[in-house]
Amino acid sequence: MTVRILVADDDRLMRAGLCAVLSVDDSLHIVAEAATGAEAVDRAIALGPDVVLMDIRMPVMDGIEATRRIAAAAPAVRILVLTTFEDDDYVLSALRAGAAGFVLKRIQPEQLIAGIHTVAAGESLLAPQVTRTVIEHLTDVTRTDPGRLAPLTPRERDVLTLIAQGLSNGDIAAALRIEDSTVKTHVKRILAKLHLRDRVHAVIVAYETGLVRVRG
């Protein structure tokens, strides 16, 4: 299946480099480029790409606001934030705006291509450095109302806990001694009941509500 991509970055050389890297994979197709956040929003809504590679610092409108607007207007579009910055404010703001993943620009080309396929398939992606940043930030975050988890069944809470601990569906199935298909059903119900876009946001909610706490 061809994955249609919009590349948004204000650096022309960076855009050219990204397009060159992605052209190695015949299943990836660049449908458009954008040099500002505003252009990214307009073109994402008009063209409906599968994935937007989104820079954060861009003129006219930054990548976080662009992500927020695309997520609201075209929720089927998956947004992978690509940046040089690891600052926790950028990370959490981008994820809360609706990004499906967050990787650093120094990522290896083959990892970027694999990441795009991961996000296009409906999964979420966080670079290991970014995951640590998110979790460290959440150690001091103000807890939201634990009652937000009230719609979940005990089994769904178990699954959410394991998701937040970084387990895959296969690992969760093994830990709970249930089928992979059952785990997938639980994950879908968790996201629907909590009105979340994907697993990344489920992890954030798990920590924010105190369901899972950082060890150490």
Side-chain angles (χ1 to χ4, degrees), residues 9-176:
D9 195 301
D10 64 329
D11 187 320
R12 182 180 299 178
L13 185 60
M14 176 60 70
R15 292 201 309 275
L18 288 170
C19 290
V21 166
L22 301 183
S23 68
V24 173
D25 189 325
D26 292 338
S27 67
L28 303 181
H29 175 59
I30 308 297
V31 296
E33 298 178 27
T36 71
E39 287 181 359
V41 173
D42 291 342
R43 291 170 188 177
I45 293 174
L47 300 173
D50 299 303
V51 176
V52 176
L53 272 183
M54 181 75 76
D55 188 26
I56 284 184
R57 290 191 176 180
M58 291 187 289
V60 183
M61 180 190 299
D62 66 29
I64 293 173
E65 180 60 26
T67 294
R68 184 176 294 109
R69 296 192 185 194
I70 293 170
V77 175
R78 306 283 288 170
I79 302 169
L80 181 59
V81 175
L82 183 65
T83 184
T84 57
F85 305 100
E86 298 177 47
D87 182 87
D88 54 24
D89 288 337
Y90 287 122
V91 174
L92 289 172
S93 295
L95 294 176
R96 286 174 172 146
F102 198 117
V103 295
L104 305 178
K105 286 184 176 178
R106 63 174 178 265
I107 190 173
Q108 294 298 312
E110 61 274 15
Q111 293 176 325
L112 176 59
I113 290 172
I116 289 172
H117 283 292
T118 295
V119 168
E123 297 294 330
S124 302
L125 180 70
L126 284 181
Q129 305 96 320
V130 176
T131 301
R132 287 196 296 271
T133 299
V134 171
I135 300 308
E136 288 168 4
H137 177 84
L138 291 175
T139 61
D140 300 320
V141 77
T142 300
R143 302 293 175 187
T144 58
D145 181 9
R148 182 176 181 184
L149 302 181
L152 303 184
T153 65
R155 177 59 88 187
E156 288 165 352
R157 284 176 178 250
D158 291 340
V159 171
L160 178 56
T161 297
L162 296 177
I163 290 174
Q165 292 174 356
L167 274 65
S168 66
N169 283 357
D171 293 334
I172 294 172
L176 299 179

